[in-house]
Amino acid sequence: MLETPDAIILAKFRNEVTRHEAFSLLVKTYQQRLYWHIRRIVIDHDDANDIVQDVFIKVWKNLASFREDSKIYTWLYRIATNECITFINRKKLRSIVSLDDLGEKLAEGLTQSAYFDGNKLELKLQQAILTLPSKQRIVFNMKYFEAMKYEDMSKVLGTSTGALKASYHHAVKKIEKYFKEH
Amino acid sequence: MNAEGHINDEPNFLKETGNRTPFSTPENYFNEMESAILSRIANNRSVKPVNKTQWLSIAASFLLIATVAAIVYTQLKTPADLKLSFEETVLTEVDEAVLAEVLEKKQENATTLFENEVMNNVDEQTLIESL
């Protein structure tokens, strides 16, 4: 789908008459990208669905005061990523299992999920990704699956490009190690 | 959704794996997402777009109320205020002649105290020289 320029969406959203039209445009433009970004982090479809809806509701509440010093796209990704991190932390607190076991549980869930359609190698890669710390996992996913530029990732995650490159490099090394051991 | 151009830069084991996202969604999921979100917004009356100026005016009102309350409170409770009301009471309630007598006595006492201090602590020769 062709992206509608941010300025048009914002101008329409700030007008009471065209607000719903603008929001609808925004959802249609970004829903898939945001959903997959979230899904790759939380794995489960139902969790991803809840989070993506929460993200768009937050956007509805705050878009009128969006300051335009960044693109809507990076702003949306920032909200989505923060929501995912909050969700994971809450899940960690609620869970009696350790963080490593939580990753293992998610990896087990992959094979049982009706919404997983990967082959053996793709499954192994997802299992390897789930052994990474959550922020490293996010960096790996954004770079590897979405081919996001480090500059954009830096705006989303508030981390320097140097640190992001290092984080990605470490993630790849850990995944390689996992592949050798399994 | 997958961007495959950059994968050539990756190590071999990742090239073999590929960067397809191996997940799927329920049928028509993305077609229904928009209406699901809009109905959640419509059902939740508290979810209204927040107008920045609205927030600023609310914050400004609170600040104004707090400032006025603080001023009123300090005006009523400072010791200076209590001292002032004591002085006012003395001036309005006490007889002027009595007040003058008290002040005169107070001044006399202060002078006597000063003289005693000088006589007891200052060397006589120094005193004569300074006079």
Side-chain angles (χ1 to χ4, degrees):
Chain A
M1 177 168 199
L2 274 178
E3 272 183 39
T4 310
D6 288 1
I8 294 176
I9 292 179
L10 287 169
K12 284 188 172 185
F13 192 83
R14 282 169 186 152
N15 182 343
E16 195 83 46
V17 182
T18 51
R19 177 165 293 161
H20 276 87
E21 185 197 332
F23 188 69
S24 171
L25 207 59
L26 184 111
V27 173
K28 277 179 188 148
T29 308
Y30 295 107
Q31 61 176 1
Q32 294 212 25
R33 264 198 276 179
L34 281 186
Y35 169 83
W36 289 118
H37 172 65
I38 294 165
R39 177 79 188 272
R40 277 188 282 260
I41 299 170
V42 300
I43 305 295
D44 182 69
H45 164 73
D46 292 330
D47 292 340
N49 180 43
D50 287 345
I51 296 170
V52 79
Q53 288 193 19
D54 289 346
V55 169
F56 277 117
I57 286 168
K58 276 200 172 171
V59 170
W60 167 261
K61 286 162 81 177
N62 295 295
L63 190 61
S65 54
F66 176 67
R67 282 184 298 164
E68 291 177 70
D69 44 12
S70 64
K71 289 178 195 164
I72 289 183
Y73 147 78
T74 50
W75 181 63
L76 292 175
Y77 261 73
R78 203 180 318 145
I79 298 173
T81 309
N82 288 338
E83 285 290 306
C84 289
I85 292 169
T86 308
F87 173 83
I88 291 169
N89 289 339
R90 226 183 293 144
K91 205 167 183 176
K92 268 188 249 170
L93 283 175
R94 275 202 309 257
S95 173
I96 48 163
V97 295
S98 71
L99 180 58
D100 291 344
D101 293 341
L102 196 68
E104 271 177 34
K105 274 196 159 230
L106 282 171
E108 277 170 26
L110 275 175
T111 50
Q112 291 154 12
S113 169
Y115 302 118
F116 180 81
D117 63 0
N119 58 33
K120 273 188 179 180
L121 267 180
E122 287 169 335
L123 175 65
K124 197 170 164 182
L125 178 59
Q126 286 302 319
Q127 286 168 334
I129 293 168
L130 284 169
T131 63
L132 302 173
S134 48
K135 281 198 177 166
Q136 216 169 62
R137 201 160 93 203
I138 292 166
V139 172
F140 181 83
N141 282 336
M142 287 166 103
K143 180 72 186 139
Y144 186 72
F145 291 104
E146 300 175 53
M148 192 184 273
K149 288 177 187 166
Y150 283 117
E151 288 74 22
D152 287 341
M153 279 166 72
S154 171
K155 282 173 196 155
V156 172
L157 300 170
T159 312
S160 70
T161 52
L164 291 170
K165 283 176 188 174
S167 183
Y168 183 71
H169 176 76
H170 287 304
V172 171
K173 289 286 161 206
K174 283 182 192 172
I175 292 169
E176 189 171 21
K177 190 169 175 266
Y178 182 93
F179 265 63
K180 281 177 184 164
E181 289 170 358
H182 292 81
Chain B
M1 287 311 295
N2 295 334
E4 287 173 8
H6 75 295
I7 203 157
N8 295 328
D9 305 332
E10 301 296 350
N12 280 336
F13 79 99
L14 283 176
K15 276 185 208 166
E16 286 166 22
T17 315
N19 65 346
R20 187 184 79 93
T21 301
F23 303 124
S24 59
T25 59
E27 223 172 302
N28 285 328
Y29 173 66
F30 290 112
N31 293 334
E32 289 160 8
M33 187 193 280
E34 189 195 341
S35 57
I37 293 165
L38 290 175
S39 73
R40 263 187 74 181
I41 289 170
N43 289 338
N44 189 349
R45 286 182 179 199
S46 65
V47 183
K48 284 179 183 168
V50 179
N51 192 336
K52 200 177 183 180
T53 51
Q54 212 175 16
W55 269 109
L56 281 175
S57 57
I58 292 167
S61 309
F62 272 112
L63 195 66
L64 185 70
I65 292 165
T67 311
V68 170
I71 290 167
V72 169
Y73 182 79
T74 45
Q75 285 293 314
L76 289 176
K77 294 287 179 185
T78 54
D81 184 63
L82 293 174
K83 193 178 164 189
L84 189 69
S85 56
F86 173 72
E87 281 171 3
E88 273 172 4
T89 313
V90 167
L91 288 172
T92 51
E93 301 294 327
V94 179
D95 181 48
E96 213 170 84
V98 176
L99 200 63
E101 205 177 293
V102 169
L103 287 172
E104 207 174 68
K105 271 188 180 174
K106 205 175 170 184
Q107 204 165 0
E108 270 176 21
N109 284 343
T111 313
T112 316
L113 275 172
F114 176 71
E115 280 171 355
N116 287 342
E117 189 70 17
V118 170
M119 294 303 282
N120 292 335
N121 297 322
V122 181
D123 179 47
E124 211 177 89
Q125 191 59 38
T126 318
L127 200 61
I128 291 164
E129 274 172 18
S130 67
L131 285 169

